[in-house]
Amino acid sequence: MGATIIDGRDFAAAVRGKVTGHVTRLASEQGIVPGLAVVLVGEDPASQVYVRSKGKATVEAGMKSVEHNLAADTSESELLALIDQLNNDSSIHGILVQLPLPEHLNEGLVVNAIDPAKDVDGFHISNVGLLGTGRKSMVPCTPLGCLMLLRNHHGSLSGLDAVVIGRSNIVGRPMVQLLIGDSCTVTVAHSRTRDLPEVVRRADVVVAAVGRPAMVQGDWLKPGATVIDVGINRVDAPERGVGKTRLVGDVDFERASRVAGAITPVPGGVGPMTIACLLANTLTACCRSNGVPEPEGLTA
């Protein structure tokens, strides 16, 4: 019997529906409308697509959506002035600066200029520290989405052995903290891990976030393990025609699905959860700023 497929599209739709319901009630009962501002510097095509998708999803959830599209040669002082303006705008509860930024801009300086309470990406150093010490924070969207999928599949994660492959600040490190917060025993694996397959084989839960196509093989897995594949890699697909490509994860899905108990596909697994969690974070930030109880099931 093959692995259970963890459908991120369906679950993300449910999360977005829950967010929309809470937004509707906030607006009707208290006259509060959550607001999200997205800042894009330059004309990177992939970033433009992401920003449009985020704006569309925000409006569909009943929130206020504001987009600031700045020229690629925007100065650091101009960008910081805009962020300061958004920090002081009471109608904006979430601020997201689309990354990567042009090379002349200091990414760390820009991210840490955002009010931590409005940092819906969860990248501000204050939120990183709060998460690392087990306190209430804004949590990065992709790891939060992974945690939601795991909780939905397992119920309780307490006592499970988990391996996170990858140690990036965006996914790997916050994922470790979230799993520790749910009482997992967590191992962080990476490019210098000795005998990586053997390390992975001990895990009840495997989160792969390394950015290498199909790196995790089926025989690396403990039978019945739950596999969360964060990777989104575009590879050549000559079977589809000349110059065609397809998306694959960091896990060899075909082989892994024969061993795993449950697995996320690529596409259609973790990906849809990222924007759903962005909406959830914006709602959470709005509730916190207005002293309104936070909706259950949408935070870590």
Side-chain angles (χ1 to χ4, degrees), residues 4-15 18 143-158 160 175 179 182 205 226 228 262-264 269 273 297-299:
T4 298
I5 305 302
I6 299 175
D7 190 331
R9 289 193 178 101
D10 279 355
F11 192 74
V15 170
K18 189 172 184 178
L144 178 58
C146 294
L147 183 69
M148 287 183 179
L149 291 173
L150 285 167
R151 285 174 172 173
N152 183 64
H153 179 72
H154 281 280
S156 172
L157 302 179
S158 180
L160 295 181
M175 190 75 246
L179 289 168
D182 268 32
V205 172
T226 301
I228 304 295
I263 189 170
T264 58
M273 290 297 298
L298 296 179
T299 63

Side-chain angles (χ1 to χ4, degrees), residues 165 197 200-201 213-222 227 250-253 255-257 259:
I165 312 173
V200 174
R201 237 172 249 126
M215 185 189 82
V216 178
Q217 299 296 305
D219 62 2
W220 291 21
L221 301 175
K222 176 181 182 179
V227 180
D250 291 347
V251 178
D252 185 332
F253 181 84
R255 291 178 174 83
S257 59
V259 181

Side-chain angles (χ1 to χ4, degrees), residues 46-233:
S47 292
Q48 289 177 329
V49 171
Y50 295 148
V51 167
R52 282 197 298 271
S53 297
K54 290 166 183 175
K56 182 173 182 287
T58 303
V59 171
E60 288 175 349
M63 299 182 182
K64 174 182 177 180
S65 175
V66 177
E67 292 181 18
H68 291 272
N69 297 292
L70 308 181
D73 61 354
T74 295
S75 70
E76 197 162 80
S77 61
E78 289 172 320
L79 178 55
L80 292 174
L82 173 59
I83 292 173
D84 185 59
Q85 174 188 325
L86 295 171
N87 283 340
N88 291 290
D89 186 340
S90 60
S91 72
I92 297 297
H93 305 95
I95 302 171
L96 183 154
V97 176
Q98 184 66 44
L99 303 178
L101 292 170
E103 290 185 0
H104 70 283
L105 299 173
N106 183 324
E107 189 172 292
L109 180 66
V110 169
V111 167
N112 288 304
I114 298 171
D115 181 345
K118 296 187 177 186
D119 169 36
V120 287
D121 258 339
F123 295 162
H124 192 288
I125 192 66
S126 294
N127 283 318
V128 173
L130 289 169
L131 178 61
T133 53
R135 298 170 65 188
K136 182 183 292 186
S137 67
M138 299 305 299
V139 178
C141 300
T142 299
L144 178 58
C146 294
L147 183 69
M148 287 183 179
L149 291 173
L150 285 167
R151 285 174 172 173
N152 183 64
H153 179 72
H154 281 280
S156 172
L157 302 179
S158 180
L160 295 181
D161 285 318
V163 168
V164 177
I165 312 173
R167 50 182 171 174
S168 74
N169 291 330
I170 295 174
V171 180
R173 293 173 191 262
M175 190 75 246
V176 169
Q177 299 301 333
L178 290 173
L179 289 168
I180 290 172
D182 268 32
S183 299
C184 290
T185 300
V186 187
T187 299
V188 185
H190 45 76
S191 60
R192 297 193 179 184
T193 298
R194 295 181 181 177
D195 199 359
L196 180 57
E198 187 58 34
V199 171
V200 174
R201 237 172 249 126
R202 299 198 298 265
D204 303 304
V205 172
V206 178
V207 180
V210 287
R212 290 178 57 185
M215 185 189 82
V216 178
Q217 299 296 305
D219 62 2
W220 291 21
L221 301 175
K222 176 181 182 179
T226 301
V227 180
I228 304 295
D229 191 349
V230 183
I232 302 179
N233 310 285

Side-chain angles (χ1 to χ4, degrees), residues 21-37:
H22 280 280
V23 169
T24 300
R25 285 191 289 277
L26 267 181
S28 63
E29 296 173 7
Q30 304 195 42
I32 300 170
V33 178
L36 173 65

